[in-house]
Amino acid sequence: MDLNADLGEGFGIWRLGDDEALLGLVTSANVACGFHGGDASTMHRICAGAARRGVAVGAQVGYRDLAGFGRRHIAYDFAVLRDETIYQLGALDAFCRLAGTRVRYLKPHGALYHAAACDEAQAAALVAAVSGYDHELPVLCPPGSVLAQLAVGAGLRVVAEGFADRNYLPNGQLVPRSAANALVTDPDEVATRAVRMATEKTVVAVDGSVVPTPVESICLHGDTPGAVRCAELVRAALIDAGVTPTSLA
């Protein structure tokens, strides 16, 4: 099971989360590419740190929305979203090459993640970007989403992702961040949910129902309170359950 985290989301002198500690615990790093968070120096630092630790680097592409941290929906023209995705992929890949590695997958961030899960036009723009840039790049996204369907149709590899530190609705979607119960912040509960996802391929929704989660990768948000402790417990719990944390690429 891959264990990924959103990293490099600071900007300038502002740091968000403990990137260095999380790099020592995860197997894949979703690195912000400068649009919703991150900047050139941060990208350089994270790519170098990931390469030293053998952590796979993924491009976490987002809307051009630093002020809103990429969590505000933007109605993009197809070509613009495609090209801005390619722009972000190329920027991160340059720093990967300096570190002796490469971008190994793409994952959309925030509002773009949710839009591409159900909006065919935005999902198609992401698929076009990946197909044009590097057809071998996997796409990390929700299982059964519109993005997953279009990516498979284009011959791309899809890696289904679940969230141990987010609550789920009975329909399998995430509880909106605007809701009070969007986050799961108790580290022990996060670890328990991660093991269940990895071994039973299910998660308990907010209403107590059991939702299928056929995932290959589990995400932990670097900006979630107690993220490092959560990652420590999740990694240990997975190993105790006989699940080896392994990079998806």
Side-chain angles (χ1 to χ4, degrees):
M1 177 63 67
D2 177 55
L3 183 60
N4 76 74
D6 300 345
L7 302 179
E9 293 182 312
F11 185 79
I13 63 170
W14 178 62
R15 295 287 180 94
L16 179 64
D18 191 339
D19 291 332
E20 296 304 318
L22 287 169
L23 277 173
L25 296 166
V26 301
T27 53
S28 298
N30 317 317
V31 183
C33 300
F35 273 32
H36 77 275
D39 55 30
S41 295
T42 302
M43 292 160 70
H44 195 167
R45 174 174 55 83
I46 299 298
C47 289
R52 287 195 302 270
R53 295 170 174 82
V55 173
V57 174
Q60 188 168 40
V61 300
Y63 290 141
R64 189 187 288 270
D65 180 29
L66 278 174
F69 197 56
R71 288 180 176 161
R72 302 180 293 189
H73 181 268
I74 297 177
Y76 264 90
D77 175 79
F78 172 90
V80 174
L81 182 55
R82 178 200 62 204
D83 293 347
E84 291 202 346
T85 299
I86 294 170
Y87 183 98
Q88 292 174 79
L89 276 167
L92 187 65
D93 207 23
F95 290 113
C96 282
R97 292 180 62 183
L98 287 175
T101 186
R102 61 182 176 85
V103 170
R104 297 187 180 275
Y105 62 94
L106 175 140
K107 174 184 173 178
H109 166 81
L112 178 56
Y113 187 94
H114 296 295
C118 59
D119 184 312
E120 187 168 341
Q122 295 212 358
L126 295 180
V127 169
V130 175
S131 297
Y133 186 81
D134 183 351
H135 200 267
E136 299 302 313
L137 283 183
V139 176
L140 190 60
C141 61
S145 62
V146 170
L147 176 56
Q149 295 171 33
L150 293 184
V152 168
L156 301 176
R157 178 187 170 197
V158 169
V159 178
E161 177 184 40
F163 295 84
D165 58 4
R166 291 291 306 276
N167 270 316
Y168 280 77
L169 296 170
N171 63 3
Q173 296 181 2
L174 295 175
V175 173
R177 280 189 174 269
S178 57
N181 62 341
L183 300 179
V184 180
T185 57
D186 178 69
D188 291 310
E189 184 180 355
V190 172
T192 298
R193 292 165 69 84
V195 170
R196 180 165 185 154
M197 282 185 181
T199 59
E200 300 180 23
K201 304 299 182 182
T202 62
V203 67
V204 178
V206 289
D207 68 345
S209 61
V210 177
V211 178
T213 51
V215 302
E216 300 174 66
S217 183
I218 295 174
C219 178
L220 296 170
H221 290 90
D223 62 333
T224 296
V228 173
R229 181 57 177 161
C230 286
E232 291 172 341
L233 290 184
V234 166
R235 186 179 181 92
L238 288 174
I239 293 171
D240 287 346
V243 179
T244 303
T246 306
S247 169
L248 61 87

PDB file of all heavy atoms in Angstrom, residues 191-212:
ATOM      1  N   ALA A 191      -5.111   5.949  12.154  1.00  0.00           N
ATOM      2  CA  ALA A 191      -4.384   4.700  11.916  1.00  0.00           C
ATOM      3  C   ALA A 191      -5.344   3.534  11.718  1.00  0.00           C
ATOM      4  O   ALA A 191      -5.153   2.689  10.834  1.00  0.00           O
ATOM      5  CB  ALA A 191      -3.438   4.426  13.072  1.00  0.00           C
ATOM      6  N   THR A 192      -6.385   3.477  12.533  1.00  0.00           N
ATOM      7  CA  THR A 192      -7.375   2.406  12.414  1.00  0.00           C
ATOM      8  C   THR A 192      -8.063   2.443  11.051  1.00  0.00           C
ATOM      9  O   THR A 192      -8.270   1.406  10.397  1.00  0.00           O
ATOM     10  CB  THR A 192      -8.429   2.521  13.534  1.00  0.00           C
ATOM     11  OG1 THR A 192      -7.774   2.364  14.799  1.00  0.00           O
ATOM     12  CG2 THR A 192      -9.503   1.460  13.385  1.00  0.00           C
ATOM     13  N   ARG A 193      -8.403   3.654  10.610  1.00  0.00           N
ATOM     14  CA  ARG A 193      -9.064   3.802   9.313  1.00  0.00           C
ATOM     15  C   ARG A 193      -8.132   3.405   8.173  1.00  0.00           C
ATOM     16  O   ARG A 193      -8.559   2.785   7.181  1.00  0.00           O
ATOM     17  CB  ARG A 193      -9.540   5.241   9.141  1.00  0.00           C
ATOM     18  CG  ARG A 193     -10.681   5.609  10.092  1.00  0.00           C
ATOM     19  CD  ARG A 193     -10.883   7.123  10.166  1.00  0.00           C
ATOM     20  NE  ARG A 193     -11.400   7.673   8.928  1.00  0.00           N
ATOM     21  CZ  ARG A 193     -12.692   7.707   8.605  1.00  0.00           C
ATOM     22  NH1 ARG A 193     -13.598   7.230   9.428  1.00  0.00           N
ATOM     23  NH2 ARG A 193     -13.079   8.228   7.454  1.00  0.00           N
ATOM     24  N   ALA A 194      -6.863   3.738   8.301  1.00  0.00           N
ATOM     25  CA  ALA A 194      -5.897   3.385   7.264  1.00  0.00           C
ATOM     26  C   ALA A 194      -5.757   1.872   7.132  1.00  0.00           C
ATOM     27  O   ALA A 194      -5.728   1.334   6.014  1.00  0.00           O
ATOM     28  CB  ALA A 194      -4.546   4.014   7.570  1.00  0.00           C
ATOM     29  N   VAL A 195      -5.669   1.189   8.259  1.00  0.00           N
ATOM     30  CA  VAL A 195      -5.547  -0.271   8.218  1.00  0.00           C
ATOM     31  C   VAL A 195      -6.794  -0.897   7.602  1.00  0.00           C
ATOM     32  O   VAL A 195      -6.717  -1.839   6.804  1.00  0.00           O
ATOM     33  CB  VAL A 195      -5.292  -0.834   9.629  1.00  0.00           C
ATOM     34  CG1 VAL A 195      -5.419  -2.354   9.633  1.00  0.00           C
ATOM     35  CG2 VAL A 195      -3.916  -0.413  10.125  1.00  0.00           C
ATOM     36  N   ARG A 196      -7.962  -0.376   7.952  1.00  0.00           N
ATOM     37  CA  ARG A 196      -9.202  -0.911   7.389  1.00  0.00           C
ATOM     38  C   ARG A 196      -9.238  -0.712   5.875  1.00  0.00           C
ATOM     39  O   ARG A 196      -9.643  -1.611   5.126  1.00  0.00           O
ATOM     40  CB  ARG A 196     -10.409  -0.247   8.042  1.00  0.00           C
ATOM     41  CG  ARG A 196     -11.737  -0.762   7.506  1.00  0.00           C
ATOM     42  CD  ARG A 196     -12.896  -0.382   8.393  1.00  0.00           C
ATOM     43  NE  ARG A 196     -14.121  -1.001   7.898  1.00  0.00           N
ATOM     44  CZ  ARG A 196     -15.168  -1.296   8.646  1.00  0.00           C
ATOM     45  NH1 ARG A 196     -15.148  -1.019   9.951  1.00  0.00           N
ATOM     46  NH2 ARG A 196     -16.236  -1.852   8.119  1.00  0.00           N
ATOM     47  N   MET A 197      -8.816   0.469   5.428  1.00  0.00           N
ATOM     48  CA  MET A 197      -8.766   0.708   3.983  1.00  0.00           C
ATOM     49  C   MET A 197      -7.829  -0.273   3.290  1.00  0.00           C
ATOM     50  O   MET A 197      -8.128  -0.784   2.211  1.00  0.00           O
ATOM     51  CB  MET A 197      -8.295   2.135   3.702  1.00  0.00           C
ATOM     52  CG  MET A 197      -9.340   3.202   3.892  1.00  0.00           C
ATOM     53  SD  MET A 197      -8.680   4.821   3.397  1.00  0.00           S
ATOM     54  CE  MET A 197     -10.102   5.859   3.765  1.00  0.00           C
ATOM     55  N   ALA A 198      -6.689  -0.521   3.916  1.00  0.00           N
ATOM     56  CA  ALA A 198      -5.673  -1.368   3.298  1.00  0.00           C
ATOM     57  C   ALA A 198      -6.038  -2.841   3.305  1.00  0.00           C
ATOM     58  O   ALA A 198      -5.727  -3.568   2.354  1.00  0.00           O
ATOM     59  CB  ALA A 198      -4.334  -1.161   3.998  1.00  0.00           C
ATOM     60  N   THR A 199      -6.700  -3.281   4.359  1.00  0.00           N
ATOM     61  CA  THR A 199      -6.956  -4.725   4.510  1.00  0.00           C
ATOM     62  C   THR A 199      -8.370  -5.137   4.111  1.00  0.00           C
ATOM     63  O   THR A 199      -8.578  -6.224   3.566  1.00  0.00           O
ATOM     64  CB  THR A 199      -6.698  -5.161   5.960  1.00  0.00           C
ATOM     65  OG1 THR A 199      -7.545  -4.428   6.854  1.00  0.00           O
ATOM     66  CG2 THR A 199      -5.244  -4.922   6.340  1.00  0.00           C
ATOM     67  N   GLU A 200      -9.361  -4.276   4.384  1.00  0.00           N
ATOM     68  CA  GLU A 200     -10.751  -4.614   4.080  1.00  0.00           C
ATOM     69  C   GLU A 200     -11.302  -3.849   2.887  1.00  0.00           C
ATOM     70  O   GLU A 200     -12.390  -4.158   2.389  1.00  0.00           O
ATOM     71  CB  GLU A 200     -11.636  -4.356   5.302  1.00  0.00           C
ATOM     72  CG  GLU A 200     -11.241  -5.159   6.541  1.00  0.00           C
ATOM     73  CD  GLU A 200     -12.143  -4.871   7.728  1.00  0.00           C
ATOM     74  OE1 GLU A 200     -13.290  -4.412   7.508  1.00  0.00           O
ATOM     75  OE2 GLU A 200     -11.715  -5.097   8.868  1.00  0.00           O
ATOM     76  N   LYS A 201     -10.563  -2.835   2.445  1.00  0.00           N
ATOM     77  CA  LYS A 201     -10.994  -1.987   1.326  1.00  0.00           C
ATOM     78  C   LYS A 201     -12.334  -1.312   1.603  1.00  0.00           C
ATOM     79  O   LYS A 201     -13.177  -1.156   0.712  1.00  0.00           O
ATOM     80  CB  LYS A 201     -11.069  -2.801   0.022  1.00  0.00           C
ATOM     81  CG  LYS A 201      -9.780  -3.507  -0.355  1.00  0.00           C
ATOM     82  CD  LYS A 201      -8.636  -2.537  -0.576  1.00  0.00           C
ATOM     83  CE  LYS A 201      -7.356  -3.246  -0.994  1.00  0.00           C
ATOM     84  NZ  LYS A 201      -6.221  -2.311  -1.176  1.00  0.00           N
ATOM     85  N   THR A 202     -12.533  -0.878   2.852  1.00  0.00           N
ATOM     86  CA  THR A 202     -13.757  -0.174   3.229  1.00  0.00           C
ATOM     87  C   THR A 202     -13.423   0.945   4.204  1.00  0.00           C
ATOM     88  O   THR A 202     -12.339   0.974   4.795  1.00  0.00           O
ATOM     89  CB  THR A 202     -14.785  -1.110   3.901  1.00  0.00           C
ATOM     90  OG1 THR A 202     -14.228  -1.634   5.122  1.00  0.00           O
ATOM     91  CG2 THR A 202     -15.194  -2.248   2.991  1.00  0.00           C
ATOM     92  N   VAL A 203     -14.401   1.859   4.386  1.00  0.00           N
ATOM     93  CA  VAL A 203     -14.299   2.908   5.383  1.00  0.00           C
ATOM     94  C   VAL A 203     -15.688   3.113   5.980  1.00  0.00           C
ATOM     95  O   VAL A 203     -16.698   2.886   5.291  1.00  0.00           O
ATOM     96  CB  VAL A 203     -13.769   4.226   4.770  1.00  0.00           C
ATOM     97  CG1 VAL A 203     -14.775   4.827   3.793  1.00  0.00           C
ATOM     98  CG2 VAL A 203     -13.401   5.225   5.852  1.00  0.00           C
ATOM     99  N   VAL A 204     -15.743   3.507   7.244  1.00  0.00           N
ATOM    100  CA  VAL A 204     -17.016   3.776   7.889  1.00  0.00           C
ATOM    101  C   VAL A 204     -17.379   5.240   7.662  1.00  0.00           C
ATOM    102  O   VAL A 204     -16.622   6.142   8.032  1.00  0.00           O
ATOM    103  CB  VAL A 204     -16.961   3.458   9.395  1.00  0.00           C
ATOM    104  CG1 VAL A 204     -18.295   3.798  10.059  1.00  0.00           C
ATOM    105  CG2 VAL A 204     -16.620   1.988   9.619  1.00  0.00           C
ATOM    106  N   ALA A 205     -18.531   5.474   7.052  1.00  0.00           N
ATOM    107  CA  ALA A 205     -18.985   6.825   6.761  1.00  0.00           C
ATOM    108  C   ALA A 205     -19.543   7.480   8.016  1.00  0.00           C
ATOM    109  O   ALA A 205     -19.704   6.851   9.061  1.00  0.00           O
ATOM    110  CB  ALA A 205     -20.046   6.802   5.666  1.00  0.00           C
ATOM    111  N   VAL A 206     -19.847   8.772   7.920  1.00  0.00           N
ATOM    112  CA  VAL A 206     -20.296   9.543   9.078  1.00  0.00           C
ATOM    113  C   VAL A 206     -21.620   9.048   9.648  1.00  0.00           C
ATOM    114  O   VAL A 206     -21.928   9.288  10.813  1.00  0.00           O
ATOM    115  CB  VAL A 206     -20.401  11.046   8.738  1.00  0.00           C
ATOM    116  CG1 VAL A 206     -19.021  11.657   8.554  1.00  0.00           C
ATOM    117  CG2 VAL A 206     -21.265  11.267   7.500  1.00  0.00           C
ATOM    118  N   ASP A 207     -22.413   8.346   8.827  1.00  0.00           N
ATOM    119  CA  ASP A 207     -23.691   7.827   9.326  1.00  0.00           C
ATOM    120  C   ASP A 207     -23.578   6.394   9.829  1.00  0.00           C
ATOM    121  O   ASP A 207     -24.578   5.772  10.181  1.00  0.00           O
ATOM    122  CB  ASP A 207     -24.766   7.917   8.241  1.00  0.00           C
ATOM    123  CG  ASP A 207     -24.495   6.963   7.075  1.00  0.00           C
ATOM    124  OD1 ASP A 207     -23.348   6.459   6.967  1.00  0.00           O
ATOM    125  OD2 ASP A 207     -25.432   6.724   6.280  1.00  0.00           O
ATOM    126  N   GLY A 208     -22.349   5.861   9.862  1.00  0.00           N
ATOM    127  CA  GLY A 208     -22.123   4.509  10.350  1.00  0.00           C
ATOM    128  C   GLY A 208     -22.170   3.443   9.275  1.00  0.00           C
ATOM    129  O   GLY A 208     -21.853   2.274   9.552  1.00  0.00           O
ATOM    130  N   SER A 209     -22.537   3.812   8.072  1.00  0.00           N
ATOM    131  CA  SER A 209     -22.573   2.828   6.980  1.00  0.00           C
ATOM    132  C   SER A 209     -21.150   2.514   6.508  1.00  0.00           C
ATOM    133  O   SER A 209     -20.217   3.296   6.712  1.00  0.00           O
ATOM    134  CB  SER A 209     -23.413   3.349   5.813  1.00  0.00           C
ATOM    135  OG  SER A 209     -22.862   4.546   5.282  1.00  0.00           O
ATOM    136  N   VAL A 210     -20.999   1.360   5.892  1.00  0.00           N
ATOM    137  CA  VAL A 210     -19.697   0.921   5.393  1.00  0.00           C
ATOM    138  C   VAL A 210     -19.617   1.189   3.897  1.00  0.00           C
ATOM    139  O   VAL A 210     -20.476   0.750   3.131  1.00  0.00           O
ATOM    140  CB  VAL A 210     -19.471  -0.574   5.687  1.00  0.00           C
ATOM    141  CG1 VAL A 210     -18.142  -1.041   5.092  1.00  0.00           C
ATOM    142  CG2 VAL A 210     -19.486  -0.827   7.193  1.00  0.00           C
ATOM    143  N   VAL A 211     -18.601   1.928   3.516  1.00  0.00           N
ATOM    144  CA  VAL A 211     -18.436   2.351   2.119  1.00  0.00           C
ATOM    145  C   VAL A 211     -17.227   1.643   1.514  1.00  0.00           C
ATOM    146  O   VAL A 211     -16.147   1.629   2.124  1.00  0.00           O
ATOM    147  CB  VAL A 211     -18.233   3.880   2.050  1.00  0.00           C
ATOM    148  CG1 VAL A 211     -17.999   4.323   0.606  1.00  0.00           C
ATOM    149  CG2 VAL A 211     -19.428   4.603   2.645  1.00  0.00           C
ATOM    150  N   PRO A 212     -17.365   1.055   0.314  1.00  0.00           N
ATOM    151  CA  PRO A 212     -16.210   0.425  -0.337  1.00  0.00           C
ATOM    152  C   PRO A 212     -15.140   1.461  -0.688  1.00  0.00           C
ATOM    153  O   PRO A 212     -15.458   2.545  -1.177  1.00  0.00           O
ATOM    154  CB  PRO A 212     -16.811  -0.194  -1.604  1.00  0.00           C
ATOM    155  CG  PRO A 212     -18.281  -0.274  -1.353  1.00  0.00           C
ATOM    156  CD  PRO A 212     -18.609   0.886  -0.461  1.00  0.00           C
TER     157      PRO A 212
END
